[in-house]
Amino acid sequence: MKMENPYSSGQYYKETYMKNQMSLKMSTRWMVNYYNVIKKIYPLIVLSKNNKILEIGSGFGGFINVLNDDGYINVSAADMSANIFSKEIKNKFIILDLLNIVDINEKFDIIFAFDVFEHINNTAQVINNISQLLNINGLIIFSVPYPVKKHLMDNYHTNMQYPNYYSNLFKQGGYELINMEDVSFCPFLWRLRLPIFYKYISKNKFVISETFFIFKKQSEI
């Protein structure tokens, strides 16, 4: 019997988002951290308000909310399930399986994907499919958890890799590495409305450590 996909079925969201009492408000507050990192490591991002943007793995829509609030005018959301994407957000929503892209005839200037790739085993296929959605000279900006014990113990993290794994695969796929940064967040500070991050990897179980990447698409595969 074929097992139901936990992402398209909504099981993943119930077990992770709901268990941690996440909401659009809390998701938006958390994604301010990620946006601050991006602006720090790629300041030119704030000059691109008119670009056509897609976020893959949008969840509640917190990062979409952050972009809307900062004046971006052409932003779409995508995920494998729409069951938790907030109805308060009026942006276009696309049901998207990165391993099986169908009926999406759009190209984007910037694609964001936060904490997505560690859930997918065939990264090379994902890169190929993302390339179908991204314009030449477009940017893919994403984060993945650093493979410390805290993240390795997550049952849904089926493809945990060190940063050079992504650097090599994206370069092979026709991308130029613009920047890469190791970052750690403290959830305690986030809950105090202090979106502070540190440029290092921490193994402390109370800290979330990620690597952020910015790649530019230079050619078609």
Side-chain angles (χ1 to χ4, degrees), residues 81-147:
S81 173
N83 65 349
I84 66 166
F85 188 72
S86 175
K87 293 181 174 56
E88 298 175 38
I89 301 177
K90 303 304 180 183
N91 300 66
K92 179 180 178 180
F93 185 89
I94 301 169
I95 297 291
L96 176 63
D97 179 353
L98 279 176
L99 291 174
N100 186 28
I101 292 179
V102 293
D103 300 328
I104 300 177
N105 300 313
E106 297 182 68
K107 291 276 192 178
F108 299 88
D109 301 305
I110 304 174
I111 292 177
F112 293 101
F114 301 113
D115 302 341
V116 171
F117 296 148
E118 70 275 13
H119 298 278
I120 305 172
N121 292 326
N122 194 339
T123 311
Q125 181 64 44
V126 167
I127 294 172
N128 179 71
N129 288 345
I130 286 175
S131 291
Q132 297 179 41
L133 301 173
L134 193 61
N135 289 320
I136 293 290
N137 295 320
L139 300 175
I140 168 73
I141 301 175
F142 67 93
S143 68
V144 288
Y146 199 86

